[in-house]
Amino acid sequence: EADIYQTPRYLVIGTGKKITLECSQTMGHDKMYWYQQDPGMELHLIHYSYGVNSTEKGDLSSESTVSRIRTEHFPLTLESARPSHTSQYLCASSGGTGPNQPQHFGDGTRLSIL
Amino acid sequence: AQTVTQSQPEMSVQEAETVTLSCTYDTSESDYYLFWYKQPPSRQMILVIRQEAYKQQNATENRFSVNFQKAAKSFSLKISDSQLGDAAMYFCAYRSTYRGGAQKLVFGQGTRLTINP
């Protein structure tokens, strides 16, 4: 199994709170990704990173922000949570230079905003 | 932009039988990679199988094989001798062979596979 970890697994929190979802990988991968996935639906890329100090917005607009200060760490932050942010958030990473390298996924964080 | 379509939201199969999940895609590129990922309930998404477009031979991984039809832009997944542990959401994904950039995956909508004992 891939060594990529997300915490928390589940979070139920009230509107207006600041939230940080953690993602760490121990594989030394340079590329990391955040996806948003509603239950039983497709994945939408919301952020990605080529490496340290490099972050880009994905294909789906998101009010969240990310940072990449260390290779192994790629946290996602919501400054003021709203019910529309309720979803599952998946973190992934990939290494190497070839496009045949698969993305390795974490277990995900199920976020529910009341 | 590339798109991936999985036209079967749900499929079911009897244990030990064979099932085929469909995937079509649209691209103007001549070389690319295709993937099938499996997402069991409340568990980690894992890679099932991958195929490079320039390789004519269909990829096989144990009970999992693909039928890659490049001209038709079709990439179906066949699961033989279905087992209860195969129950999951299956996602088809596309990736360009461009070696720079983030090497993003484009995912289909997913197919929920149920295995009946």
mmCIF file with all atom_site columns, all heavy atoms in Angstrom, chain A residues 85-105:
data_model
loop_
_atom_site.group_PDB
_atom_site.id
_atom_site.type_symbol
_atom_site.label_atom_id
_atom_site.label_alt_id
_atom_site.label_comp_id
_atom_site.label_asym_id
_atom_site.label_entity_id
_atom_site.label_seq_id
_atom_site.pdbx_PDB_ins_code
_atom_site.Cartn_x
_atom_site.Cartn_y
_atom_site.Cartn_z
_atom_site.occupancy
_atom_site.B_iso_or_equiv
_atom_site.pdbx_formal_charge
_atom_site.auth_seq_id
_atom_site.auth_comp_id
_atom_site.auth_asym_id
_atom_site.auth_atom_id
_atom_site.pdbx_PDB_model_num
ATOM 1   N N   . HIS A 1 85  ? -19.318 23.355 1.440   1.00 0.00 ? 85  HIS A N   1
ATOM 2   C CA  . HIS A 1 85  ? -18.017 22.677 1.443   1.00 0.00 ? 85  HIS A CA  1
ATOM 3   C C   . HIS A 1 85  ? -18.119 21.222 1.875   1.00 0.00 ? 85  HIS A C   1
ATOM 4   O O   . HIS A 1 85  ? -17.126 20.488 1.838   1.00 0.00 ? 85  HIS A O   1
ATOM 5   C CB  . HIS A 1 85  ? -17.046 23.416 2.376   1.00 0.00 ? 85  HIS A CB  1
ATOM 6   C CG  . HIS A 1 85  ? -16.736 24.815 1.937   1.00 0.00 ? 85  HIS A CG  1
ATOM 7   N ND1 . HIS A 1 85  ? -16.597 25.864 2.843   1.00 0.00 ? 85  HIS A ND1 1
ATOM 8   C CD2 . HIS A 1 85  ? -16.562 25.347 0.714   1.00 0.00 ? 85  HIS A CD2 1
ATOM 9   C CE1 . HIS A 1 85  ? -16.338 26.966 2.176   1.00 0.00 ? 85  HIS A CE1 1
ATOM 10  N NE2 . HIS A 1 85  ? -16.316 26.689 0.883   1.00 0.00 ? 85  HIS A NE2 1
ATOM 11  N N   . THR A 1 86  ? -19.304 20.799 2.280   1.00 0.00 ? 86  THR A N   1
ATOM 12  C CA  . THR A 1 86  ? -19.488 19.407 2.685   1.00 0.00 ? 86  THR A CA  1
ATOM 13  C C   . THR A 1 86  ? -19.194 18.485 1.510   1.00 0.00 ? 86  THR A C   1
ATOM 14  O O   . THR A 1 86  ? -19.797 18.596 0.441   1.00 0.00 ? 86  THR A O   1
ATOM 15  C CB  . THR A 1 86  ? -20.936 19.185 3.170   1.00 0.00 ? 86  THR A CB  1
ATOM 16  O OG1 . THR A 1 86  ? -21.133 19.940 4.372   1.00 0.00 ? 86  THR A OG1 1
ATOM 17  C CG2 . THR A 1 86  ? -21.195 17.717 3.438   1.00 0.00 ? 86  THR A CG2 1
ATOM 18  N N   . SER A 1 87  ? -18.242 17.566 1.704   1.00 0.00 ? 87  SER A N   1
ATOM 19  C CA  . SER A 1 87  ? -17.812 16.679 0.635   1.00 0.00 ? 87  SER A CA  1
ATOM 20  C C   . SER A 1 87  ? -16.714 15.755 1.174   1.00 0.00 ? 87  SER A C   1
ATOM 21  O O   . SER A 1 87  ? -16.341 15.834 2.344   1.00 0.00 ? 87  SER A O   1
ATOM 22  C CB  . SER A 1 87  ? -17.250 17.499 -0.536  1.00 0.00 ? 87  SER A CB  1
ATOM 23  O OG  . SER A 1 87  ? -17.017 16.678 -1.666  1.00 0.00 ? 87  SER A OG  1
ATOM 24  N N   . GLN A 1 88  ? -16.208 14.899 0.302   1.00 0.00 ? 88  GLN A N   1
ATOM 25  C CA  . GLN A 1 88  ? -15.017 14.132 0.636   1.00 0.00 ? 88  GLN A CA  1
ATOM 26  C C   . GLN A 1 88  ? -13.839 14.746 -0.115  1.00 0.00 ? 88  GLN A C   1
ATOM 27  O O   . GLN A 1 88  ? -13.955 15.091 -1.284  1.00 0.00 ? 88  GLN A O   1
ATOM 28  C CB  . GLN A 1 88  ? -15.153 12.657 0.264   1.00 0.00 ? 88  GLN A CB  1
ATOM 29  C CG  . GLN A 1 88  ? -13.849 11.877 0.437   1.00 0.00 ? 88  GLN A CG  1
ATOM 30  C CD  . GLN A 1 88  ? -14.014 10.382 0.433   1.00 0.00 ? 88  GLN A CD  1
ATOM 31  O OE1 . GLN A 1 88  ? -13.872 9.723  1.456   1.00 0.00 ? 88  GLN A OE1 1
ATOM 32  N NE2 . GLN A 1 88  ? -14.315 9.828  -0.734  1.00 0.00 ? 88  GLN A NE2 1
ATOM 33  N N   . TYR A 1 89  ? -12.706 14.856 0.589   1.00 0.00 ? 89  TYR A N   1
ATOM 34  C CA  . TYR A 1 89  ? -11.504 15.421 0.010   1.00 0.00 ? 89  TYR A CA  1
ATOM 35  C C   . TYR A 1 89  ? -10.414 14.341 -0.015  1.00 0.00 ? 89  TYR A C   1
ATOM 36  O O   . TYR A 1 89  ? -10.060 13.762 1.016   1.00 0.00 ? 89  TYR A O   1
ATOM 37  C CB  . TYR A 1 89  ? -11.053 16.648 0.812   1.00 0.00 ? 89  TYR A CB  1
ATOM 38  C CG  . TYR A 1 89  ? -12.031 17.787 0.708   1.00 0.00 ? 89  TYR A CG  1
ATOM 39  C CD1 . TYR A 1 89  ? -13.161 17.842 1.532   1.00 0.00 ? 89  TYR A CD1 1
ATOM 40  C CD2 . TYR A 1 89  ? -11.874 18.791 -0.241  1.00 0.00 ? 89  TYR A CD2 1
ATOM 41  C CE1 . TYR A 1 89  ? -14.091 18.866 1.422   1.00 0.00 ? 89  TYR A CE1 1
ATOM 42  C CE2 . TYR A 1 89  ? -12.797 19.831 -0.353  1.00 0.00 ? 89  TYR A CE2 1
ATOM 43  C CZ  . TYR A 1 89  ? -13.893 19.854 0.477   1.00 0.00 ? 89  TYR A CZ  1
ATOM 44  O OH  . TYR A 1 89  ? -14.824 20.872 0.353   1.00 0.00 ? 89  TYR A OH  1
ATOM 45  N N   . LEU A 1 90  ? -9.917  14.079 -1.217  1.00 0.00 ? 90  LEU A N   1
ATOM 46  C CA  . LEU A 1 90  ? -8.901  13.048 -1.406  1.00 0.00 ? 90  LEU A CA  1
ATOM 47  C C   . LEU A 1 90  ? -7.576  13.697 -1.774  1.00 0.00 ? 90  LEU A C   1
ATOM 48  O O   . LEU A 1 90  ? -7.524  14.553 -2.658  1.00 0.00 ? 90  LEU A O   1
ATOM 49  C CB  . LEU A 1 90  ? -9.307  12.080 -2.519  1.00 0.00 ? 90  LEU A CB  1
ATOM 50  C CG  . LEU A 1 90  ? -10.514 11.187 -2.274  1.00 0.00 ? 90  LEU A CG  1
ATOM 51  C CD1 . LEU A 1 90  ? -10.868 10.432 -3.535  1.00 0.00 ? 90  LEU A CD1 1
ATOM 52  C CD2 . LEU A 1 90  ? -10.239 10.224 -1.144  1.00 0.00 ? 90  LEU A CD2 1
ATOM 53  N N   . CYS A 1 91  ? -6.525  13.237 -1.133  1.00 0.00 ? 91  CYS A N   1
ATOM 54  C CA  . CYS A 1 91  ? -5.176  13.694 -1.437  1.00 0.00 ? 91  CYS A CA  1
ATOM 55  C C   . CYS A 1 91  ? -4.460  12.579 -2.189  1.00 0.00 ? 91  CYS A C   1
ATOM 56  O O   . CYS A 1 91  ? -4.688  11.382 -1.928  1.00 0.00 ? 91  CYS A O   1
ATOM 57  C CB  . CYS A 1 91  ? -4.438  14.021 -0.143  1.00 0.00 ? 91  CYS A CB  1
ATOM 58  S SG  . CYS A 1 91  ? -2.761  14.643 -0.368  1.00 0.00 ? 91  CYS A SG  1
ATOM 59  N N   . ALA A 1 92  ? -3.606  12.954 -3.144  1.00 0.00 ? 92  ALA A N   1
ATOM 60  C CA  . ALA A 1 92  ? -2.855  11.961 -3.911  1.00 0.00 ? 92  ALA A CA  1
ATOM 61  C C   . ALA A 1 92  ? -1.457  12.489 -4.194  1.00 0.00 ? 92  ALA A C   1
ATOM 62  O O   . ALA A 1 92  ? -1.203  13.697 -4.104  1.00 0.00 ? 92  ALA A O   1
ATOM 63  C CB  . ALA A 1 92  ? -3.573  11.642 -5.217  1.00 0.00 ? 92  ALA A CB  1
ATOM 64  N N   . SER A 1 93  ? -0.561  11.582 -4.532  1.00 0.00 ? 93  SER A N   1
ATOM 65  C CA  . SER A 1 93  ? 0.793   11.988 -4.902  1.00 0.00 ? 93  SER A CA  1
ATOM 66  C C   . SER A 1 93  ? 1.299   11.074 -6.000  1.00 0.00 ? 93  SER A C   1
ATOM 67  O O   . SER A 1 93  ? 0.818   9.946  -6.169  1.00 0.00 ? 93  SER A O   1
ATOM 68  C CB  . SER A 1 93  ? 1.737   11.930 -3.694  1.00 0.00 ? 93  SER A CB  1
ATOM 69  O OG  . SER A 1 93  ? 2.002   10.595 -3.314  1.00 0.00 ? 93  SER A OG  1
ATOM 70  N N   . SER A 1 94  ? 2.262   11.566 -6.758  1.00 0.00 ? 94  SER A N   1
ATOM 71  C CA  . SER A 1 94  ? 2.941   10.727 -7.746  1.00 0.00 ? 94  SER A CA  1
ATOM 72  C C   . SER A 1 94  ? 4.373   11.184 -7.886  1.00 0.00 ? 94  SER A C   1
ATOM 73  O O   . SER A 1 94  ? 4.704   12.340 -7.635  1.00 0.00 ? 94  SER A O   1
ATOM 74  C CB  . SER A 1 94  ? 2.220   10.760 -9.093  1.00 0.00 ? 94  SER A CB  1
ATOM 75  O OG  . SER A 1 94  ? 2.319   12.025 -9.699  1.00 0.00 ? 94  SER A OG  1
ATOM 76  N N   . GLY A 1 95  ? 5.228   10.238 -8.275  1.00 0.00 ? 95  GLY A N   1
ATOM 77  C CA  . GLY A 1 95  ? 6.648   10.552 -8.385  1.00 0.00 ? 95  GLY A CA  1
ATOM 78  C C   . GLY A 1 95  ? 7.173   10.193 -9.759  1.00 0.00 ? 95  GLY A C   1
ATOM 79  O O   . GLY A 1 95  ? 6.436   9.772  -10.643 1.00 0.00 ? 95  GLY A O   1
ATOM 80  N N   . GLY A 1 96  ? 8.470   10.345 -9.954  1.00 0.00 ? 96  GLY A N   1
ATOM 81  C CA  . GLY A 1 96  ? 9.085   10.020 -11.227 1.00 0.00 ? 96  GLY A CA  1
ATOM 82  C C   . GLY A 1 96  ? 8.759   11.062 -12.286 1.00 0.00 ? 96  GLY A C   1
ATOM 83  O O   . GLY A 1 96  ? 8.023   12.015 -12.039 1.00 0.00 ? 96  GLY A O   1
ATOM 84  N N   . THR A 1 97  ? 9.303   10.845 -13.467 1.00 0.00 ? 97  THR A N   1
ATOM 85  C CA  . THR A 1 97  ? 9.103   11.817 -14.550 1.00 0.00 ? 97  THR A CA  1
ATOM 86  C C   . THR A 1 97  ? 8.151   11.303 -15.621 1.00 0.00 ? 97  THR A C   1
ATOM 87  O O   . THR A 1 97  ? 7.684   12.061 -16.453 1.00 0.00 ? 97  THR A O   1
ATOM 88  C CB  . THR A 1 97  ? 10.446  12.157 -15.217 1.00 0.00 ? 97  THR A CB  1
ATOM 89  O OG1 . THR A 1 97  ? 11.045  10.931 -15.667 1.00 0.00 ? 97  THR A OG1 1
ATOM 90  C CG2 . THR A 1 97  ? 11.384  12.826 -14.223 1.00 0.00 ? 97  THR A CG2 1
ATOM 91  N N   . GLY A 1 98  ? 7.881   10.008 -15.614 1.00 0.00 ? 98  GLY A N   1
ATOM 92  C CA  . GLY A 1 98  ? 7.063   9.451  -16.674 1.00 0.00 ? 98  GLY A CA  1
ATOM 93  C C   . GLY A 1 98  ? 5.582   9.561  -16.372 1.00 0.00 ? 98  GLY A C   1
ATOM 94  O O   . GLY A 1 98  ? 5.159   9.452  -15.226 1.00 0.00 ? 98  GLY A O   1
ATOM 95  N N   . PRO A 1 99  ? 4.764   9.762  -17.392 1.00 0.00 ? 99  PRO A N   1
ATOM 96  C CA  . PRO A 1 99  ? 3.311   9.858  -17.200 1.00 0.00 ? 99  PRO A CA  1
ATOM 97  C C   . PRO A 1 99  ? 2.672   8.517  -16.880 1.00 0.00 ? 99  PRO A C   1
ATOM 98  O O   . PRO A 1 99  ? 1.475   8.469  -16.571 1.00 0.00 ? 99  PRO A O   1
ATOM 99  C CB  . PRO A 1 99  ? 2.809   10.392 -18.541 1.00 0.00 ? 99  PRO A CB  1
ATOM 100 C CG  . PRO A 1 99  ? 3.842   9.961  -19.527 1.00 0.00 ? 99  PRO A CG  1
ATOM 101 C CD  . PRO A 1 99  ? 5.144   9.971  -18.807 1.00 0.00 ? 99  PRO A CD  1
ATOM 102 N N   . ASN A 1 100 ? 3.450   7.438  -16.959 1.00 0.00 ? 100 ASN A N   1
ATOM 103 C CA  . ASN A 1 100 ? 2.872   6.148  -16.609 1.00 0.00 ? 100 ASN A CA  1
ATOM 104 C C   . ASN A 1 100 ? 2.847   5.914  -15.106 1.00 0.00 ? 100 ASN A C   1
ATOM 105 O O   . ASN A 1 100 ? 2.283   4.933  -14.644 1.00 0.00 ? 100 ASN A O   1
ATOM 106 C CB  . ASN A 1 100 ? 3.655   5.013  -17.280 1.00 0.00 ? 100 ASN A CB  1
ATOM 107 C CG  . ASN A 1 100 ? 5.078   4.934  -16.767 1.00 0.00 ? 100 ASN A CG  1
ATOM 108 O OD1 . ASN A 1 100 ? 5.662   5.932  -16.376 1.00 0.00 ? 100 ASN A OD1 1
ATOM 109 N ND2 . ASN A 1 100 ? 5.629   3.742  -16.736 1.00 0.00 ? 100 ASN A ND2 1
ATOM 110 N N   . GLN A 1 101 ? 3.469   6.827  -14.344 1.00 0.00 ? 101 GLN A N   1
ATOM 111 C CA  . GLN A 1 101 ? 3.488   6.656  -12.887 1.00 0.00 ? 101 GLN A CA  1
ATOM 112 C C   . GLN A 1 101 ? 2.097   6.918  -12.328 1.00 0.00 ? 101 GLN A C   1
ATOM 113 O O   . GLN A 1 101 ? 1.519   7.973  -12.553 1.00 0.00 ? 101 GLN A O   1
ATOM 114 C CB  . GLN A 1 101 ? 4.497   7.618  -12.247 1.00 0.00 ? 101 GLN A CB  1
ATOM 115 C CG  . GLN A 1 101 ? 5.918   7.380  -12.686 1.00 0.00 ? 101 GLN A CG  1
ATOM 116 C CD  . GLN A 1 101 ? 6.374   5.981  -12.361 1.00 0.00 ? 101 GLN A CD  1
ATOM 117 O OE1 . GLN A 1 101 ? 6.209   5.508  -11.242 1.00 0.00 ? 101 GLN A OE1 1
ATOM 118 N NE2 . GLN A 1 101 ? 6.935   5.295  -13.355 1.00 0.00 ? 101 GLN A NE2 1
ATOM 119 N N   . PRO A 1 102 ? 1.542   5.975  -11.569 1.00 0.00 ? 102 PRO A N   1
ATOM 120 C CA  . PRO A 1 102 ? 0.190   6.161  -11.050 1.00 0.00 ? 102 PRO A CA  1
ATOM 121 C C   . PRO A 1 102 ? 0.171   7.171  -9.909  1.00 0.00 ? 102 PRO A C   1
ATOM 122 O O   . PRO A 1 102 ? 1.186   7.428  -9.285  1.00 0.00 ? 102 PRO A O   1
ATOM 123 C CB  . PRO A 1 102 ? -0.179  4.775  -10.548 1.00 0.00 ? 102 PRO A CB  1
ATOM 124 C CG  . PRO A 1 102 ? 1.130   4.155  -10.177 1.00 0.00 ? 102 PRO A CG  1
ATOM 125 C CD  . PRO A 1 102 ? 2.125   4.689  -11.170 1.00 0.00 ? 102 PRO A CD  1
ATOM 126 N N   . GLN A 1 103 ? -0.993  7.705  -9.658  1.00 0.00 ? 103 GLN A N   1
ATOM 127 C CA  . GLN A 1 103 ? -1.185  8.509  -8.468  1.00 0.00 ? 103 GLN A CA  1
ATOM 128 C C   . GLN A 1 103 ? -1.569  7.570  -7.326  1.00 0.00 ? 103 GLN A C   1
ATOM 129 O O   . GLN A 1 103 ? -2.367  6.657  -7.494  1.00 0.00 ? 103 GLN A O   1
ATOM 130 C CB  . GLN A 1 103 ? -2.270  9.556  -8.703  1.00 0.00 ? 103 GLN A CB  1
ATOM 131 C CG  . GLN A 1 103 ? -1.839  10.645 -9.670  1.00 0.00 ? 103 GLN A CG  1
ATOM 132 C CD  . GLN A 1 103 ? -2.865  11.754 -9.827  1.00 0.00 ? 103 GLN A CD  1
ATOM 133 O OE1 . GLN A 1 103 ? -3.829  11.854 -9.064  1.00 0.00 ? 103 GLN A OE1 1
ATOM 134 N NE2 . GLN A 1 103 ? -2.658  12.604 -10.808 1.00 0.00 ? 103 GLN A NE2 1
ATOM 135 N N   . HIS A 1 104 ? -0.991  7.840  -6.165  1.00 0.00 ? 104 HIS A N   1
ATOM 136 C CA  . HIS A 1 104 ? -1.303  7.079  -4.952  1.00 0.00 ? 104 HIS A CA  1
ATOM 137 C C   . HIS A 1 104 ? -2.212  7.942  -4.090  1.00 0.00 ? 104 HIS A C   1
ATOM 138 O O   . HIS A 1 104 ? -1.917  9.115  -3.855  1.00 0.00 ? 104 HIS A O   1
ATOM 139 C CB  . HIS A 1 104 ? -0.029  6.735  -4.189  1.00 0.00 ? 104 HIS A CB  1
ATOM 140 C CG  . HIS A 1 104 ? 0.941   5.921  -4.989  1.00 0.00 ? 104 HIS A CG  1
ATOM 141 N ND1 . HIS A 1 104 ? 0.870   4.548  -5.056  1.00 0.00 ? 104 HIS A ND1 1
ATOM 142 C CD2 . HIS A 1 104 ? 1.975   6.293  -5.763  1.00 0.00 ? 104 HIS A CD2 1
ATOM 143 C CE1 . HIS A 1 104 ? 1.841   4.102  -5.838  1.00 0.00 ? 104 HIS A CE1 1
ATOM 144 N NE2 . HIS A 1 104 ? 2.527   5.131  -6.278  1.00 0.00 ? 104 HIS A NE2 1
ATOM 145 N N   . PHE A 1 105 ? -3.285  7.347  -3.603  1.00 0.00 ? 105 PHE A N   1
ATOM 146 C CA  . PHE A 1 105 ? -4.305  8.104  -2.886  1.00 0.00 ? 105 PHE A CA  1
ATOM 147 C C   . PHE A 1 105 ? -4.297  7.818  -1.399  1.00 0.00 ? 105 PHE A C   1
ATOM 148 O O   . PHE A 1 105 ? -4.009  6.697  -0.960  1.00 0.00 ? 105 PHE A O   1
ATOM 149 C CB  . PHE A 1 105 ? -5.696  7.767  -3.444  1.00 0.00 ? 105 PHE A CB  1
ATOM 150 C CG  . PHE A 1 105 ? -5.966  8.361  -4.792  1.00 0.00 ? 105 PHE A CG  1
ATOM 151 C CD1 . PHE A 1 105 ? -5.496  7.751  -5.946  1.00 0.00 ? 105 PHE A CD1 1
ATOM 152 C CD2 . PHE A 1 105 ? -6.689  9.549  -4.908  1.00 0.00 ? 105 PHE A CD2 1
ATOM 153 C CE1 . PHE A 1 105 ? -5.735  8.315  -7.191  1.00 0.00 ? 105 PHE A CE1 1
ATOM 154 C CE2 . PHE A 1 105 ? -6.934  10.109 -6.154  1.00 0.00 ? 105 PHE A CE2 1
ATOM 155 C CZ  . PHE A 1 105 ? -6.461  9.493  -7.291  1.00 0.00 ? 105 PHE A CZ  1
#
